[in-house]
């Protein structure tokens, strides 16, 4: 979101040009929305005791709210904007070239004055107006409704007992559940040195709750743990449960498929449950859109309040990527008796669109549970579960201001949440995992020092130029895709030397991940350079954009062919010698004619945003040439943790350090509404 430079209060704008001459970074959608809503409200409610000279404040408040939505916030948080000169927060300064325009900008008043003004207007939740002012936050009503509906649903689920919860005479005796958990976590396979096995705690918590979130960083075993949860649930119900598994993108769904299948194989090998139980756990995950049933040309879905999903258990992976509107639509389509299990990493980037659902439902605080939950989990696991004091004694003068939300010191009841602590991919000696921790904690000094001193797993590229490094990576990882052999049944008497399986395995070996699309070190230039380099070497012989070996990503949802934004594939020669697109689909490959492809782009390099839910053996992380507002510790953390074995970073120290200092902030009221008495 662009920062409006505070200098003078402008006169009313009669045209968008007048507005854009005054305010940097304003888009036409902001202007026309603010004009329409402010005029309608002020004309309809002339009786409101608001001085005419303050009417500009409503107009600019709506502009700021519209910009906030486009920046990923679900609302405009007043105390983040009032007289705020901290450029690392919600409104950001423009690039240097735009400073030359010297636009006057606009100054919002002090917080009490701004709050007093909006409080006089008939825009409370009960006023049924397109704007809603509540708890120091200004919403467009549509997003206030999304947030309220989701908050009410989650609150109900958090307070609900598990459908299979069986109390003993003392209230904590579950003989069958405990037996199943012990079978899934046999002592001879438990090599944990920590006093608490959080995976075991997560399984126990999922059994006694209708709604649970299992969170944790890469390699902490979220999918392996949830596979044990599903096995336990099936064992409790004679394998009769209907289970749906979903993820926000096709790539994330494919990754979930692979992880579930691998986990089932390990459980079968360890003989901790029956084959019948493992076979009752599905191998196939779908996207959220596919599960809900997209209706082409409409924002509505096939499954909703009056036609809910026919499943007993819904597993939702990578929930950090799911925005507020989509999560609300998913939850309204789930039957009130269904069990919901969510997985995610709260340190990753939030969704591209508005909201930060995982961050709101899994806020950072000390690990522990309420006294009641602690007692139940102790009975199931045999561990001494930490108890949080959720009711601290506060002096009267410590009561929070009504418009500031919850206090940072307040401990929330997060009994629905288990955060896995131990990373099996990045153990204590793993360079990638340690670098990720330094970055997400904002430790500028140690993160850069650790990157510079990397030995086996991480390296800072500094002895080669940018293009020399790219050439080396292309030769090692991408050129094998273009090796061919002579055959009789291909049109040009040549066929890729790699099999389909080998080609996809080769693609998983390496990927360039860039922070931005533009600039010399952006995705666009990297992909263009690599393609031209491969052409110069004679490896790409086609004159057009379609050639065998081209890695592709779908950039739009195409429901009629079952492809979605973010799905990745490869152009390849089939057995009949025809060039087609192929996409991984569970344990097989789906072929698609080029004429049926939706919009695609080349992905030798991808933006970090697009790689959430993916994993590569080796990642080449490319920073922009200069600081960019898109660069943040969450972006760097996401890029770093896509690498499972090796990480190479190309970028300047100053740019890296600015990224580590900057945090992604998402303003909403969801946390307050779920965990307090806001509504």
């Amino acid at each position: 979101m662009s920062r409006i430079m505070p200098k003078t209060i402008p006169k009313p704008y009669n045209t968008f040009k007048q507005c854009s001459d005054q305010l940097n970074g304003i888009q036409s959608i902001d202007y026309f929305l603010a004009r329409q809503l402010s005029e309608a409200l002020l004309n309809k409610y002339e009786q409101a005791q608001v001085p005419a000279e303050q009417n500009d404040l409503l107009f600019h408040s709506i502009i700021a709210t519209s910009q906030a939505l486009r920046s990923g916030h679900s609302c405009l948080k007043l105390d983040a904007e009032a007289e705020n000169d901290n450029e690392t927060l919600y409104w950001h300064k423009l690039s240097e070239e735009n400073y030359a325009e010297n636009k006057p900008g606009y100054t919002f008043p002090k917080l009490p004055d701004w709050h007093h003004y909006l409080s006089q207007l008939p825009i409370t939740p009960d006023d049924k107006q397109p704007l809603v002012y509540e708890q120091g936050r200004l919403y467009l009503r549509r997003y206030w409704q999304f947030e309220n509906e989701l908050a009410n649903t989650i609150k109900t689920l958090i307070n609900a007992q598990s459908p299979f919860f069986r109390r003993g005479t003392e209230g904590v005796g579950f003989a069958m559940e405990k037996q199943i958990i012990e079978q899934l976590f046999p002592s001879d396979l438990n090599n944990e040195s920590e006093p608490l096995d959080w995976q075991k705690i997560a399984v126990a918590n999922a059994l006694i709750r209708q709604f649970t979130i299992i969170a944790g960083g890469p390699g902490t075993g979220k999918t392996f743990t949830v596979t044990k949860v599903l096995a336990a649930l099936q064992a409790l119900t004679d394998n009769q449960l209907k289970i749906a598994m979903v993820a926000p993108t096709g790539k994330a769904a494919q990754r979930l498929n692979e992880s579930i299948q691998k986990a089932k194989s390990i459980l079968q090998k360890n003989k901790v449950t029956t084959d019948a139980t493992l076979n009752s756990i599905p191998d196939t995950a779908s996207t959220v859109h596919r599960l809900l049933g997209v209706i082409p040309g409409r924002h509505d879905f096939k499954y909703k309040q009056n036609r809910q999903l026919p499943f007993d258990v819904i597993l939702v992976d990578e929930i950090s990527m799911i925005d507020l509107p989509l999560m609300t639509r998913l939850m309204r389509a789930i039957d009130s008796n269904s069990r919901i299990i969510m997985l995610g990493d709260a340190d990753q980037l939030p969704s591209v669109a508005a909201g930060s659902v995982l961050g709101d439902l899994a806020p950072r605080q000390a690990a522990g549970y309420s006294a009641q939950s602690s007692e139940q989990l102790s009975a199931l696991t045999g561990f001494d579960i930490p108890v949080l004091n959720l009711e601290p004694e506060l002096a009267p003068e410590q009561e929070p201001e009504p418009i500031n939300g919850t206090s940072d010191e307040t401990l929330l009841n997060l009994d629905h949440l288990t955060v896995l602590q131990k990373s099996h991919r990045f153990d204590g000696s793993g360079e990638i995992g340690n670098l990720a921790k330094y970055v997400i904690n904002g430790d500028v000094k140690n993160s850069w020092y650790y990157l510079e001193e990397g030995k086996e797993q991480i390296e800072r590229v500094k002895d080669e130029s940018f293009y020399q490094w790219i050439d080396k990576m292309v030769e090692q990882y991408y050129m094998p895709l273009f090796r061919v052999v002579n055959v009789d049944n291909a049109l040009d008497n040549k066929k890729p030397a790699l099999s389909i399986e080998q080609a996809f395995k080769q693609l998983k070996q390496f990927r360039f991940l860039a922070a931005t699309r533009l600039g010399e070190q952006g995705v666009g230039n990297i992909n263009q350079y690599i393609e031209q380099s491969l052409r110069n070497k004679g490896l790409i012989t086609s004159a057009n954009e379609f050639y065998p070996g081209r890695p592709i990503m779908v950039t739009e949802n195409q429901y009629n062919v079952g492809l979605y934004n973010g799905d990745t594939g490869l152009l390849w020669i089939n057995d009949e010698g025809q060039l087609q697109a192929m996409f991984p689909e569970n344990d097989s490959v789906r072929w698609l004619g080029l004429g049926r492809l939706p919009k695609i782009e080349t992905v030798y390099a991808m933006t970090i945003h697009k790689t959430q839910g993916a994993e590569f053996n080796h990642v080449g992380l490319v920073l922009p040439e200069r600081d960019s507002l898109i660069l943040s510790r969450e972006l760097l953390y996401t890029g770093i943790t896509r690498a499972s074995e090796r990480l190479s970073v190309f970028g300047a120290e100053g740019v890296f350090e600015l990224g580590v200092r900057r945090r992604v902030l998402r303003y909403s009221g969801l946390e307050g509404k779920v965990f307090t008495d806001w509504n």
Side-chain angles (χ1 to χ4, degrees):
M1 177 176 182
S2 305
R3 181 174 179 78
I4 300 176
M5 305 304 294
K7 290 190 177 180
T8 62
I9 296 179
K11 297 177 181 179
Y13 314 114
N14 294 318
T15 65
F16 170 64
K17 185 178 185 306
Q18 289 180 352
C19 182
S20 61
D21 286 343
Q22 182 80 21
L23 306 177
N24 269 322
I26 294 301
Q27 295 191 12
S28 58
I29 188 174
D30 305 326
Y31 168 77
F32 287 108
L33 178 66
R35 180 172 175 173
Q36 179 183 14
L37 295 186
S38 61
E39 287 178 356
L41 279 169
L42 295 174
N43 288 339
K44 187 173 182 180
Y45 294 97
E46 292 180 354
Q47 69 272 24
Q49 300 300 308
V50 180
E53 62 270 16
Q54 292 188 17
N55 289 349
D56 281 348
L57 180 54
L58 176 61
F59 182 87
H60 289 91
S61 297
I62 299 171
I63 282 182
T65 304
S66 179
Q67 287 184 316
L69 282 171
R70 288 190 288 101
S71 297
H73 309 282
S74 60
C75 61
L76 177 71
K77 192 169 183 281
L78 263 61
D79 63 3
E81 291 302 336
E83 296 187 314
N84 175 25
D85 291 326
N86 188 341
E87 295 170 355
T88 65
L89 295 180
Y90 184 46
W91 282 9
H92 303 294
K93 69 181 181 181
L94 295 174
S95 57
E96 293 180 1
E97 57 266 25
N98 284 320
Y99 275 123
E101 299 175 8
N102 196 29
K103 296 182 180 180
Y106 180 79
T107 302
F108 282 113
K110 294 181 179 179
L111 180 60
D113 297 333
W114 197 1
H115 170 63
H116 176 71
Y117 169 77
L118 292 176
S119 297
Q120 295 179 82
L121 297 174
I123 54 174
T124 69
D126 295 331
D127 284 313
K128 311 300 181 186
Q129 293 302 312
L131 283 180
V132 175
Y133 182 59
E134 177 188 51
Q135 292 287 343
R137 292 164 169 81
L138 187 62
Y139 296 83
L140 294 184
R141 176 165 286 275
R142 184 180 180 215
Y143 285 85
W144 177 85
Q145 289 173 327
F146 281 136
E147 189 174 273
N148 247 35
E149 180 183 344
L150 182 59
N152 290 331
T153 301
I154 296 295
K155 283 181 74 169
T156 300
L157 288 168
I158 284 177
N159 295 323
Q161 272 189 178
S162 160
F164 315 114
F165 183 78
R166 293 189 299 279
R167 291 180 179 274
T169 56
E170 300 296 324
V172 293
F174 338 67
M176 188 173 180
E177 287 87 347
K178 185 174 181 178
Q179 179 184 357
I180 290 172
I181 291 173
E182 291 303 323
Q183 289 173 348
L184 290 169
F185 292 89
S187 57
D188 59 328
L189 293 177
N190 184 7
N191 297 318
E192 297 285 346
S193 58
E194 288 77 6
L196 297 177
D197 184 345
W198 287 99
Q199 291 189 6
K200 188 174 182 180
I201 295 169
V203 173
N205 203 31
L207 291 188
I208 64 174
R209 300 198 164 275
Q210 186 173 356
F211 172 77
T212 51
I213 295 177
I214 301 174
T220 51
K222 296 185 293 293
T223 312
F224 186 66
T225 302
V226 83
T227 306
K228 289 189 174 184
V229 172
L230 299 179
L233 290 173
Q234 289 289 35
L236 281 169
T237 57
D238 296 324
N239 307 326
Q240 297 301 308
L241 295 177
K242 293 182 64 178
I243 299 172
M245 307 192 306
V246 296
T249 66
K251 180 168 66 270
Q254 178 63 26
R255 177 85 177 117
L256 177 59
N257 289 340
E258 295 169 355
S259 298
I260 291 286
Q261 290 170 16
K262 181 178 179 181
K264 288 170 62 175
S265 176
I266 294 173
L267 295 180
Q268 185 179 43
K269 179 181 178 181
N270 291 335
K271 299 180 180 179
V272 296
T273 190
T274 67
D275 287 347
T277 292
L278 292 175
N279 291 336
S280 68
I281 300 172
D283 291 323
T284 305
S286 72
T287 63
V288 177
H289 286 82
R290 196 175 302 168
L291 177 75
L292 294 177
V294 171
I295 303 175
R298 295 172 59 183
H299 291 294
D300 209 357
F301 289 100
K302 174 182 175 183
Y303 289 101
K304 45 193 173 182
Q305 295 100 321
N306 58 357
R307 186 181 182 182
Q308 294 184 314
L309 292 162
F311 295 101
D312 304 301
V313 181
I314 310 285
L315 167 62
V316 190
D317 195 14
E318 297 287 357
I319 62 171
S320 64
M321 300 170 63
I322 302 179
D323 58 59
L324 173 65
L326 182 58
M327 183 63 80
T328 305
R329 291 184 172 107
L330 172 62
M331 296 302 290
R332 71 170 58 141
I334 297 176
D335 185 270
S336 59
N337 293 318
S338 298
R339 185 187 299 266
I340 304 162
I341 308 164
M342 295 186 176
L343 308 179
D345 181 357
D347 289 329
Q348 283 196 61
L349 287 164
S351 58
V352 174
S356 57
V357 175
L358 178 57
D360 289 331
L361 298 182
R364 288 174 176 265
Q365 69 175 32
Y369 298 89
S370 68
Q372 180 183 11
S373 289
S374 175
E375 183 181 9
Q376 295 168 349
L377 293 173
S378 294
L380 280 168
T381 64
F383 296 136
D384 186 11
I385 304 295
V387 180
L388 295 179
N389 180 14
L390 301 175
E391 298 181 356
E393 295 183 3
L394 296 177
E397 62 270 15
Q398 290 179 289
E399 293 180 1
E401 289 289 329
I403 63 172
N404 285 339
T406 57
S407 167
D408 290 339
E409 287 75 33
T410 302
L411 285 177
L412 303 174
N413 187 338
L414 303 180
D415 284 351
H416 65 285
L417 172 67
T418 306
V419 180
L420 304 183
Q421 310 289 332
K422 180 179 175 58
S423 176
H424 301 273
R425 184 193 308 171
F426 305 129
D427 59 21
S429 61
E431 296 176 26
I432 297 174
N434 287 337
L435 177 62
K437 289 177 184 177
Y438 287 134
V439 167
I440 201 62
N441 290 329
D443 190 334
V444 175
K445 180 180 178 181
N446 281 321
S447 59
W448 180 255
Y449 174 80
Y450 204 76
L451 176 59
E452 282 274 68
E453 295 299 313
K455 297 177 181 178
E456 296 181 1
Q457 288 189 312
I458 61 177
E459 66 166 340
R460 180 193 168 211
V461 181
K462 52 190 174 183
D463 297 328
E464 300 166 297
S465 73
F466 182 49
Y467 294 108
Q468 286 175 332
W469 174 57
I470 292 179
D471 288 340
K472 185 172 74 173
M473 295 297 99
V474 168
E475 181 177 359
Q476 182 176 353
Y477 292 110
Y478 290 143
M479 285 177 57
L481 292 171
F482 296 88
R483 296 206 327 263
V484 295
V485 294
N486 293 323
V487 293
D488 295 329
N489 63 336
L491 293 179
D492 60 357
N493 294 324
K494 291 182 179 180
K495 185 179 180 180
L498 298 181
S499 68
I500 298 170
E501 294 77 13
Q502 290 170 330
F504 276 120
K505 185 176 181 180
Q506 183 67 32
L507 271 181
K508 289 187 66 175
Q509 293 296 308
F510 176 82
R511 196 65 51 94
F512 288 107
L513 306 185
T516 61
R517 301 190 66 86
L518 304 178
E520 183 179 17
Q521 292 168 206
V523 164
N525 181 61
I526 297 172
N527 280 322
Q528 186 177 18
Y529 176 82
I530 292 174
E531 278 197 332
Q532 188 57 51
S533 176
L534 292 170
R535 289 184 187 277
N536 292 342
K537 290 179 170 63
L539 297 174
I540 299 177
T541 57
S542 172
N544 60 40
E545 61 179 325
F546 297 108
Y547 56 85
R550 179 190 174 194
I552 57 173
M553 174 183 286
V554 175
T555 59
E556 66 175 8
N557 293 331
Q558 191 71 277
Y559 305 112
N560 61 330
V561 295
L563 289 175
Y564 300 89
N565 188 4
D567 288 352
T568 54
L570 186 66
L571 299 190
W572 207 246
I573 301 292
N574 64 17
D575 290 337
E576 287 72 42
Q578 298 173 327
L579 179 62
Q580 290 192 322
M582 62 176 186
F583 296 88
E585 193 170 79
N586 302 323
D587 288 329
S588 61
V589 171
R590 179 188 178 193
W591 292 90
L592 192 69
L594 301 183
R596 300 187 64 199
L597 276 176
K599 291 182 180 179
I600 58 172
E601 62 183 24
T602 304
V603 286
Y604 298 106
M606 304 166 64
T607 61
I608 298 172
H609 273 93
K610 288 284 191 179
T611 61
Q612 288 181 267
E615 177 186 318
F616 305 97
N617 293 359
H618 185 181
V619 161
L621 186 62
V622 183
L623 306 183
E625 303 95 298
R626 59 186 65 87
D627 184 34
S628 168
L629 295 176
I630 199 173
L631 203 59
S632 67
R633 66 182 65 165
E634 289 83 2
L635 187 82
L636 292 173
Y637 171 88
T638 302
I640 290 167
T641 55
R642 297 312 90 201
S644 61
E645 297 177 7
R646 184 161 180 78
L647 172 73
S648 303
V649 180
F650 189 95
E653 178 180 1
V655 174
F656 180 85
E657 291 184 346
L658 287 170
V660 176
R661 293 182 191 278
R662 185 180 291 120
R663 287 185 59 201
V664 173
L665 293 177
R666 284 286 175 93
Y667 300 130
S668 80
L670 183 61
E671 179 183 319
K673 291 174 181 177
V674 170
F675 300 114
T676 70
D677 294 327
W678 278 19
N679 57 345

